[in-house]
Amino acid sequence: MARRAYLCLGVLLFVYFVSGQEEDAGGDDLSPEQLCEGRPADEYFRLTTENDCRDVVRCDKGAENGVTRLASVRCPISLAFDIERQTCDWKTHVKNCDKIEKPRKVMPILKTDEPICPEGNLACGNGDCIEKALFCNGKPDCKDESDENACTVDLDPNRAPDCDTTQCTLPDCFCSADGTRIPGGLEPNQVPQMITITFNGAVNVDNIDLYDQIFNGNRQNPNGCQIRGTFFISHKYTNYAAVQELHRKGHEIAVFSITHKDDPLYWSGGSYDDWLAEMAGARLIAERFANITDASIIGVRAPYLRVGGNKQFEMMADQYFVYDASITAPLGRVPIWPYTLYFRMPHKCNGNAHNCPSRSHPVWEMVMNELDRRDDPTFDESLPGCHVVDSCSNIQTGEQFARLLRQNFNRHYTTNRAPLGLHFHASWLKSKKEFRDELIKFIEEMLGKNDVYFTSLIQVIQWMQNPTELSLLRDFQEWKQDKCDVKGQPFCSLPNACPLTTRELPGETLRLFTCMECPNNYPWILDPTGEGFSAKK
């Protein structure tokens, strides 16, 4: 019996390989070959529901004699196996212990040796033919609903085409076959190494001091302009007077939703209206209560990076959001440049829920390249990358954090100089003073170079739309137009602290800090202006 260790939720699992009839097949006396027929090799399933929900198996055909075996997995004590999410989780979070396997979906018949449907039509799983345009449109048109079951980036019959550089040209469109091509065909040594520092979550008294320390007004890029960051703000607990001050200083404000609901399926399976209310609503709140009137809030990041598929991006295009910054690219030798979604995304749909957009959308994707978190990248250790710095669970000390920053900088700097994204929740940097100190030390070290710029995400897009060599970058007007070197005082030193309620959050009184006039209610998902709900007569 072979034994192999795996990590799940940061704890140790043991996988046992069992062949023949040694496993109880749930009382049905089915052989491993019968249990595994037509089943994906990476799918875990139960043999019985009459235990404590910790035990699952998967099929393995790796035996030397070609015999199908069952690899038996047991979650650690206090955890259970979530069949739908295919991972161990705390028992209180797992609601499907009565399920043997993931629900089986009927798939459409998309590829046949001979056509079985008229031109312009495709076959449902039951053989019925419907128009190709009806596949993956968000509502089932086949009787067996199979037309909505093959809607991934690879399978959607109406998916975006592969990159065509003769049709996709700057400034409006950018793509490449593998995502690594440098815009404008520049040589790497003529490209500025852009580093983007982004923060997710509420802006308030818990983190304003951290932002002031990092962006202290004295750190300047080689063109003489202050370094910039991008803040994806969630609404609840945000101090909008502080957001207004970040915007005044030239930082980019983007949206991270109103509610930040902790139900992952709400985001990955969200409707058009859900995304509209959350993101367009969050923008309306920020514009009104942080007095942002220059139409500069054009970026979206999905909570928990739970990308909302085509619905999210349809909403973004309709509401004139320019970019999304939620999709992660798997760790690779050469990092990926941001791209537009007119054409198919150039990498595997990585990360949470795998609900990437499959259709063509006039939206930029500010892709999150996974960070290499190995202590020694020359050592062939199997460690997956991490996309938000605080998800790099092995980074425990300032010294480890410093190595992570420099190793990943070098990986970008010495290859194609794709922008290096450093994405944080402020609480992680505040959890240890040494983390903050190492980040500041890294920033100051990088600013000693003449080809490294700390930019906002919109500044990355501005450079990509007009690729400009390093020697000409000091006069690059898109980066110098305004707010290059901001001085002066905040718009208001004593904002209104409005104590507000909303019937959507019964029993809660929340303070809305704003330099603007207090609204009647706490702004929320159905009432983003705080003026009150419209009553239907």
Side-chain angles (χ1 to χ4, degrees), residues 245-317:
E245 177 62 4
L246 286 170
H247 178 257
R248 185 188 75 85
K249 289 181 174 178
H251 299 295
E252 182 184 8
I253 306 301
V255 291
F256 199 44
S257 82
I258 293 178
T259 68
H260 203 270
K261 279 188 183 179
D262 62 3
D263 175 9
L265 294 179
Y266 172 75
W267 303 103
S268 53
S271 68
Y272 179 101
D273 288 341
D274 291 334
W275 284 98
L276 177 68
E278 290 282 2
M279 297 305 182
R283 176 168 62 185
L284 182 60
I285 292 171
E287 288 178 339
R288 174 166 294 208
F289 297 105
N291 196 25
I292 297 174
T293 60
D294 58 2
S296 62
I297 303 178
I298 56 172
V300 164
R301 177 165 284 163
Y304 313 104
L305 305 184
R306 289 278 182 168
V307 182
N310 292 312
K311 296 300 180 187
Q312 174 192 340
F313 289 83
E314 288 166 10
M315 179 282 298
M316 290 180 63

Side-chain angles (χ1 to χ4, degrees), residues 434-452:
E434 57 185 315
F435 289 163
R436 180 203 63 194
D437 292 346
E438 287 297 342
L439 177 61
I440 290 174
K441 189 186 301 182
F442 171 75
I443 291 171
E444 293 183 339
E445 177 187 323
M446 294 300 111
L447 291 178
K449 301 175 181 290
N450 64 3
D451 54 1
V452 177

